Amino acid sequence: MLRLTQFLKQYNTDTELVELINLMMSACKEVNAKLHDGALAGVLGETEQENVQGETQKKLDVLANDLLKHDLDECHLVRGLASEEEDLPVACNPDGRFLVAFDPLDGSSNIDINVTVGTIFSILEAPADCHGDEEEAFLQPGDKQVAAGYVLYGPSCILAITTGKGVHMFTLGHNGEFYLTRENVRVPETTKEFAINMSNQRFWEAPVQRYIADLLQGEEGPRGKRYNMRWIASMVAEVHRILTRGGVFMYPWDNREPHKPGKLRLMYEGNPMSMLIEQAGGRSINTRQRIMEVQPTQIHQRVSVVLGSREEVDVVQRYHEEADAN
Ligand code: AHM
Ligand code: MG
């Protein structure tokens, strides 16, 4: 079986990028160990703090953030980092070549119930003259990412990664090594499975209402097939399912907080997941445009997300274009 480093070298991956990915994986292995110990390590439950986005932080959100931040800060390759749990970007090494944006523990509402969570990361080249703590340095469209991936902490601990040459998956063995378990993952072009938080239905825009209503009609509706639904409330787990057996995942804008484009964050959720999905042959849009073409304006900015099997994302886009044309 091929180890992560051997595999990346075979793909002629930039040696500095290999070093950075390995370093991030050592932090993620520590997060995985803490999650496994759970209540034994006293790491479940909430802190008294809120993050910049007004969300109460779980103890493990903070712990995962601290582990990643510490390791990245010590790495000579990292100029700066941005995290869901940090108000502002943090400068690391002045000579570092890369910027790393990450969500240390995505889906953290699932921690206390022992359901899958994950770390999502996006790697960018640092602009020539930045120190690493300027927001503008990070505000590059997703198309500029040099690598993106997630580590899923579930029944198995799995890394899904792309450096722009397809998507590959590695499973963490007992010996602490990631081994290649799926090469060149492809998202099936068609699907009969969708994922959306249905409890927000009354807040959605008309085209989303219409699209989901049509799916729910099954073989008697315009789509002519019966759909299944899943909602894990952990984007990492949903994207992993879609990379494995197809599907469509949606977290669209809704009018609960109308001034925000959605719940999910562009820089460390939308962009890295879009790169993985597109590299696996799927599509990822903000209902009207490719997410990776969106020009970011703020490090914590939100984005509407529709991603997954090509045919299904095309249909969602068409419903929106038809609504816009009327
Ligand atoms: P988080 O980064 O604070 O965990 O929030 C992101 C998560 C996603 O993983 C998931 O898709 C979504 O929030 C679930 O939202 P909801 O609580 O509406 O089901
Ligand atoms: Mg998140």
Side-chain angles (χ1 to χ4, degrees):
M1 277 198 296
L2 215 50
R3 293 174 187 219
L4 174 61
T5 314
Q6 292 171 316
F7 176 83
L8 291 172
K9 283 186 180 155
Q10 273 189 13
Y11 262 68
N12 290 327
T13 313
D14 180 300
T15 50
E16 292 186 330
L17 196 52
V18 176
E19 192 182 335
L20 174 56
I21 292 166
N22 272 324
L23 176 104
M24 291 197 58
M25 287 315 105
S26 74
C28 289
K29 285 178 211 169
E30 288 184 64
V31 176
N32 184 50
K34 295 283 180 209
L35 279 161
H36 273 248
D37 285 348
L40 296 176
V43 292
L44 303 188
E46 300 192 336
T47 64
E48 309 275 286
Q49 298 145 246
E50 284 188 352
N51 66 14
V52 66
Q53 309 175 58
E55 300 158 340
T56 309
Q57 290 174 306
K58 300 273 181 190
K59 286 183 194 162
L60 269 163
D61 280 328
V62 176
L63 198 85
N65 186 56
D66 289 349
L67 284 167
L68 280 154
K69 188 178 163 188
H70 174 267
D71 285 11
L72 291 172
D73 188 35
E74 294 217 320
C75 176
H76 68 111
L77 296 168
V78 179
R79 184 93 58 97
L81 61 87
S83 159
E84 178 177 333
E85 307 302 338
E86 299 284 334
D87 300 5
L88 299 166
V90 178
C92 299
N93 190 310
D95 301 321
R97 180 177 148 199
F98 300 111
L99 299 174
V100 184
F102 59 91
D103 180 351
L105 214 49
D106 182 61
S108 51
S109 70
N110 281 324
I111 294 170
D112 293 346
I113 56 169
N114 205 21
V115 167
T116 299
V117 290
T119 298
I120 310 173
F121 58 90
S122 162
I123 302 176
L124 297 160
E125 295 271 1
D129 43 9
C130 77
H131 297 105
D133 56 356
E134 304 93 332
E135 198 167 359
E136 308 78 63
F138 285 84
L139 302 181
Q140 308 179 33
D143 277 331
K144 298 266 186 203
Q145 294 171 106
V146 292
Y150 61 74
V151 177
L152 174 135
Y153 310 109
S156 307
C157 178
I158 294 176
L159 162 69
I161 191 158
T162 181
T163 57
K165 296 177 192 162
V167 176
H168 315 289
M169 291 186 185
F170 301 82
T171 304
L172 182 63
H174 280 298
N175 60 355
E177 291 281 348
F178 278 102
Y179 292 98
L180 178 70
T181 39
R182 286 183 64 202
E183 188 172 357
N184 263 320
V185 174
R186 302 301 291 169
V187 178
E189 293 206 356
T190 59
T191 185
K192 293 181 179 176
E193 200 159 62
F194 71 98
I196 194 165
N197 185 340
M198 284 293 295
S199 66
N200 297 326
Q201 182 178 20
R202 70 187 195 278
F203 305 113
W204 299 333
E205 278 187 293
V208 179
Q209 299 272 5
R210 204 182 121 223
Y211 170 70
I212 298 293
D214 286 352
L215 299 191
L216 294 178
Q217 286 183 57
E219 53 274 71
E220 288 147 30
R223 303 303 306 283
K225 52 183 174 176
R226 187 177 296 190
Y227 282 77
N228 185 27
M229 196 201 89
R230 286 286 183 274
W231 187 250
I232 308 172
S234 174
M235 190 191 198
V236 175
E238 321 275 6
V239 169
H240 191 69
R241 184 186 62 249
I242 290 171
L243 287 172
T244 305
R245 66 178 190 212
V248 61
F249 166 87
M250 304 176 69
Y251 214 122
W253 173 91
D254 65 53
N255 66 16
R256 284 174 301 166
E257 292 185 283
H259 57 287
K260 291 182 183 164
K263 177 183 180 189
L264 300 175
R265 274 62 46 127
L266 175 63
M267 300 305 294
Y268 40 80
E269 293 174 329
N271 276 339
M273 292 311 205
S274 299
M275 185 171 179
L276 286 165
I277 290 288
E278 287 196 5
Q279 281 289 320
R283 290 198 65 212
S284 182
I285 60 171
N286 66 359
T287 64
R288 281 140 175 116
Q289 177 193 12
R290 281 181 65 242
I291 287 180
M292 289 201 290
E293 284 171 5
V294 173
Q295 174 59 51
T297 54
Q298 286 174 347
I299 198 74
H300 296 295
Q301 93 186 57
R302 313 282 177 138
V303 66
S304 253
V305 175
V306 179
L307 60 77
S309 294
R310 183 163 279 281
E311 179 193 62
E312 217 53 49
V313 178
D314 286 348
V315 173
V316 177
Q317 185 168 358
R318 200 177 68 232
Y319 277 41
H320 282 82
E321 284 165 358
E322 283 168 11
D324 292 346
N326 289 323

